[in-house]
Amino acid sequence: MKKINLLLLLLIPYFVYSQVDINDKLSKLKEELEYIAKNKIEVKNIVFSNEGDWVVFYGEIGYSYNFLPEKAKDRLSELNKNESLITDFEINGDSWVTISNNNAYSVFKAEKGLVSTLKKLNKKGKKINDVDFSESGGWVILFGKSGFASHKIPENATQKLQKLNKNKKETYKIELYKNEGYVIFFENNGLTFDNIPVSAEDKLKELKKKNNKINLVKFYNDKWIIIYDDYKFYCNF
């Protein structure tokens, strides 16, 4: 019994430190979004790492972050210096991918299927609309009007993408939630979602009812952010 108590005493400080660290990161992100909203700058994307680090893309080519892997930082800096529009950036563990002008892409430690798919789409001139990772390391690419390619994503997300493709609905953004849910954006401000936190679902329904433009939905564990009307936001932290 004493050994168990000793183990708990050793683990608690680490757990508390980790929680404080995550809360600090999220607090800084909220401050950044408040500054952006105050200046009415359009938010283009928000990206979380597995550790809760973040990158915010805004305006034409602007971005800010609290931490980035060195190679990813160098790549984004290079694109920014060349005034290249970064259309997407995603990170999962040690892997990351950037999409920029004219379907240019760069990857680091990405799964082979993802890399070969990006290469084929680039060669065929298919517009890459969005890339996202699942929590388990799966991935999805939206391209063209309603095309998609994926590996190890939630089955309900695959079924919804297939239905949208069959109905020739243009899909342009997807956000996966853990290994069970999704939010998909499609033409004419269309939005569909499943198996996401109830609080986020309620807020999305409220915004849709008020005819607000919903730009982004982003998740980190059970935390969520909704960007609407280009620069305004709601979050549960």
Side-chain angles (χ1 to χ4, degrees), residues 74-101:
D74 291 344
R75 180 55 179 158
L76 292 180
S77 178
E78 179 186 7
L79 291 169
N80 184 266
K81 185 177 180 179
N82 294 331
E83 298 186 356
S84 297
L85 179 65
I86 301 168
T87 58
D88 199 13
F89 173 76
E90 296 295 334
I91 188 168
N92 187 59
D94 293 334
S95 303
W96 54 263
V97 56
T98 65
I99 310 294
S100 52
N101 291 353

Side-chain angles (χ1 to χ4, degrees), residues 4-226:
I4 295 174
N5 287 339
L6 178 59
L7 180 61
L8 287 173
L9 286 171
L10 290 172
L11 289 176
I12 286 172
Y14 173 76
F15 176 76
V16 171
Y17 174 79
S18 298
Q19 289 299 108
V20 170
D21 189 43
I22 291 298
N23 291 338
D24 183 57
K25 291 175 182 179
L26 294 176
S27 177
K28 288 178 179 177
L29 172 57
K30 190 173 181 180
E31 288 176 9
E32 185 71 5
L33 291 174
E34 287 171 346
Y35 175 82
I36 291 170
K38 183 179 179 181
N39 288 279
K40 299 182 179 180
I41 305 170
E42 183 179 359
V43 177
K44 296 292 185 64
N45 196 10
I46 300 171
V47 181
F48 285 107
S49 74
N50 294 4
E51 295 76 27
D53 295 304
W54 50 265
V55 190
V56 179
F57 296 87
Y58 55 85
E60 288 299 317
I61 58 172
Y63 68 94
S64 57
Y65 61 90
N66 73 316
F67 175 79
L68 275 170
E70 200 63 34
K71 290 185 181 295
K73 182 167 66 174
D74 291 344
R75 180 55 179 158
L76 292 180
S77 178
E78 179 186 7
L79 291 169
N80 184 266
K81 185 177 180 179
N82 294 331
E83 298 186 356
S84 297
L85 179 65
I86 301 168
T87 58
D88 199 13
F89 173 76
E90 296 295 334
I91 188 168
N92 187 59
D94 293 334
S95 303
W96 54 263
V97 56
T98 65
I99 310 294
S100 52
N101 291 353
N102 301 317
N103 274 359
Y105 67 91
S106 52
V107 296
F108 182 73
K109 292 186 178 180
E111 194 267 337
K112 289 181 180 179
L114 171 63
V115 178
S116 63
T117 302
L118 289 172
K119 186 176 181 179
K120 288 176 184 177
L121 292 172
N122 182 279
K123 188 175 182 179
K124 292 180 179 180
K126 296 283 188 180
K127 183 184 177 184
I128 300 169
N129 300 321
D130 197 26
V131 179
D132 198 25
F133 289 106
S134 69
E135 196 172 85
S136 60
W139 52 266
V140 58
I141 304 172
L142 303 185
F143 63 89
K145 182 174 181 179
S146 57
F148 74 97
S150 63
H151 172 66
K152 290 172 62 178
I153 68 170
E155 181 61 29
N156 55 352
T158 299
Q159 291 174 355
K160 179 56 69 171
L161 286 169
Q162 288 172 338
K163 185 175 181 179
L164 290 166
N165 177 274
K166 184 178 180 180
N167 292 331
K168 297 181 179 180
K169 296 288 186 180
E170 183 175 3
T171 50
Y172 60 90
K173 193 178 296 294
I174 183 169
E175 175 70 9
L176 300 175
Y177 174 63
K178 297 187 175 181
N179 292 309
E180 58 197 33
Y182 65 83
V183 181
I184 300 172
F185 293 76
F186 57 95
E187 63 184 63
N188 299 322
N189 293 319
L191 183 72
T192 181
F193 47 83
D194 187 33
N195 284 353
I196 64 174
V198 173
S199 55
E201 183 176 331
D202 290 343
K203 184 57 68 175
L204 287 171
K205 288 177 179 178
E206 178 186 326
L207 289 168
K208 289 292 289 183
K209 189 174 182 180
K210 293 179 179 178
N211 293 317
N212 292 102
K213 176 186 175 183
I214 301 172
N215 303 80
L216 290 171
V217 181
K218 292 291 175 175
F219 301 104
Y220 175 70
N221 293 335
D222 290 323
K223 304 298 184 183
W224 54 263
I225 303 171
I226 298 170

